[in-house]
Amino acid sequence: MRMGEGVEWGLHCCLTLAWLGDEEPVPTRRLATWFDLPPAYLHKRLQTLVRAGILSSTPGARGGFRLARPPESISLMDVVAAIEGKDDVFRCTEIRQRAQGREASEREFRQPCGVATAMRRAELAWRRALAEQTVADLMAAAPPGAADRTRRHYGRMTG
C-alpha cells in the first residue's frame, strides 16, 4: 500500500498546530516554510482537512489554520481518510470468474474468495490501528524538546 505524501504533510501540520495551540491561526506560508514544502500544494491539503472537520480556517491577512478539535479527538485514520479518501485500498474485481473460472459452478462465487477475505481483514486491522492513534499520541511520542523547539521557531518567524 502506498499513500501520497499529502498524508505525511497533513499529519505533521496537525502535530505542529497542536503544539502551537489555538491562540492565533497559522498561515499556510509559515507551515510551508517550516517544512520546506510548496505553499500552493500544502494549502490544498490543508483545505481538505478543513472540509473533513479536522482543521478550521480563518480567511484574511491575519488568517490561517488551527485544529478544529482537540488533538486527542483527531485520529491518524481521520487524516488519512480526509487526504486519501475513504475507499477500500483493495478492490476485488472477481478475476476468478474470468477465462477458465467461467467453468466453475455459480455456487462457488457466492462467497468472497480467500484473496478478497484476507485483504479485507488486513485492511481492517490497518484502519483500526490508525483509528486507535491520535494527534495527542504523536505529541506524547515526539522527542523531548520538539514542542518547545516548534514554538520557539514559530515565535521567531512571527516576531
Side-chain angles (χ1 to χ4, degrees), residues 41-74:
Y41 186 74
L42 179 61
H43 188 77
K44 289 179 185 178
R45 302 294 78 77
L46 297 175
Q47 285 297 334
T48 299
L49 295 174
V50 169
R51 286 190 295 278
I54 295 168
L55 300 182
S56 64
S57 174
T58 304
R62 300 183 63 101
F65 297 90
R66 55 178 82 151
L67 293 181
R69 305 189 313 244
E72 57 276 359
S73 71
I74 301 171

Side-chain angles (χ1 to χ4, degrees), residues 46-122:
L46 297 175
Q47 285 297 334
T48 299
L49 295 174
V50 169
R51 286 190 295 278
I54 295 168
L55 300 182
S56 64
S57 174
T58 304
R62 300 183 63 101
F65 297 90
R66 55 178 82 151
L67 293 181
R69 305 189 313 244
E72 57 276 359
S73 71
I74 301 171
S75 76
L76 304 189
M77 190 66 229
D78 292 338
V79 176
V80 170
I83 303 271
E84 292 290 318
K86 296 180 181 182
D87 293 341
D88 291 341
V89 175
F90 178 78
R91 290 172 189 85
C92 179
T93 61
E94 280 295 340
I95 66 168
R96 66 188 176 145
Q97 294 184 41
R98 298 180 191 166
Q100 301 303 314
R102 290 186 190 131
E103 296 174 11
S105 72
E106 190 177 306
R107 188 177 63 211
E108 189 175 326
F109 303 121
R110 287 187 187 144
Q111 298 294 323
C113 73
V115 171
T117 301
M119 296 302 283
R120 183 68 182 145
R121 189 172 36 250

